[in-house]
Amino acid sequence: MTLKIKNMKQILYFLIVIVLTLTSCQKGKNNLPEPISNYIKTNLVINSSSLTDSLKGIIWINNYSNSKVDYSAYVSIILSDTVNNVEYISNILLDSENYSTNENKEIVSKISIDRLLNYNKSIDFKNLYWNNGITLKDLPKTTFRLRLFIFILEPMNPGNIIQSDIKYIENIE
C-alpha cells in the first residue's frame, strides 16, 4: 500500500512539473516584443516626378507609440531601375548635413523620437552618392522605383525593416 502511495506521489509531482513547465513556456510566448513596424512608419516626400538637379525630398519617420523610441539603424534611399533591373542605393546619415558620402558605406544613424512625434530630414538629391560613388548625373535615363528603406538594428524583433511607399520617378535629362 505504501508503494502505491509513493508511486502516486511521484506521478503527481511529475504532473505538477509538466504543468508548471507548460505554463512558463506559454507566458514566454506572450512576452514577444511588438514588431517595430507596428508603431514606426516612414515616408519619403519628393518635390517632382523627375530626377533632376533640383530634386529635393523630405524623410519622415513617425513614432505612433506611447513611448520614446531610441534605435540605431541603417537608412537608405533606393532607386530601382525598372528597365535594367539594377538597384542604386544611397546610404544616409541622419545625424549630419553631409548625409551621403562618396564611398557610400553603410552608416549607422541614431533614431530617437519622443512618443507620438515625428522626425524629418531634408535631402537634396544632387548631393547623394549611389552605389560606389555614382552621382545623380551618372544615373541612366530611365524610370525608377524610389523608396526609403530603414533597417533598425534590433535583430530579435521581426518588424525591424521599415519601407516607405514606392514612387515612380523618371530620369529624363
Side-chain angles (χ1 to χ4, degrees), residues 5-17:
I5 292 175
K6 199 173 197 181
N7 284 342
M8 296 279 285
K9 282 184 180 180
Q10 287 177 341
I11 291 173
L12 183 61
Y13 288 137
F14 179 72
L15 289 174
I16 290 172
V17 168

Side-chain angles (χ1 to χ4, degrees), residues 21-160:
T21 303
L22 289 174
T23 304
S24 68
C25 288
Q26 187 63 29
K27 285 182 184 177
K29 286 182 182 178
N30 294 335
N31 291 334
L32 291 175
E34 178 181 8
I36 296 169
S37 58
N38 283 1
Y39 55 88
I40 297 292
K41 303 294 180 194
T42 190
N43 198 8
L44 177 60
V45 179
I46 53 176
N47 67 347
S48 174
S49 61
S50 296
L51 196 58
T52 64
D53 274 350
S54 63
L55 182 65
K56 296 187 183 347
I58 300 174
I59 293 173
W60 289 91
I61 304 171
N62 299 300
N63 175 10
Y64 292 107
S65 74
N66 283 319
S67 58
K68 181 177 183 172
V69 298
D70 200 16
Y71 295 114
S72 296
Y74 292 119
V75 179
S76 302
I77 295 175
I78 300 173
L79 288 172
S80 300
D81 183 334
T82 60
V83 175
N84 300 310
N85 293 323
V86 176
E87 282 197 337
Y88 297 93
I89 299 170
S90 183
N91 296 307
I92 306 295
L93 178 62
L94 295 177
D95 312 358
S96 170
E97 289 305 312
N98 298 326
Y99 40 77
S100 180
T101 65
N102 191 19
E103 300 84 28
N104 198 31
K105 295 179 181 174
E106 287 186 328
I107 308 166
V108 176
S109 291
K110 188 72 171 168
I111 298 174
S112 183
I113 308 169
D114 285 330
R115 66 185 207 100
L116 302 173
L117 292 178
N118 65 55
Y119 168 88
N120 62 63
K121 174 143 185 102
S122 296
I123 299 292
D124 191 342
F125 275 68
K126 71 180 175 192
N127 295 333
L128 295 179
Y129 293 95
W130 307 91
N131 296 358
N132 297 320
I134 297 171
T135 63
L136 188 68
K137 295 175 186 172
D138 298 327
L139 291 172
K141 309 300 182 234
T142 188
T143 301
F144 293 99
R145 287 186 307 271
L146 170 70
R147 71 184 184 277
L148 178 65
F149 180 87
I150 298 176
F151 177 66
I152 296 179
L153 300 174
E154 287 289 324
M156 297 305 291
N157 193 309
N160 62 344

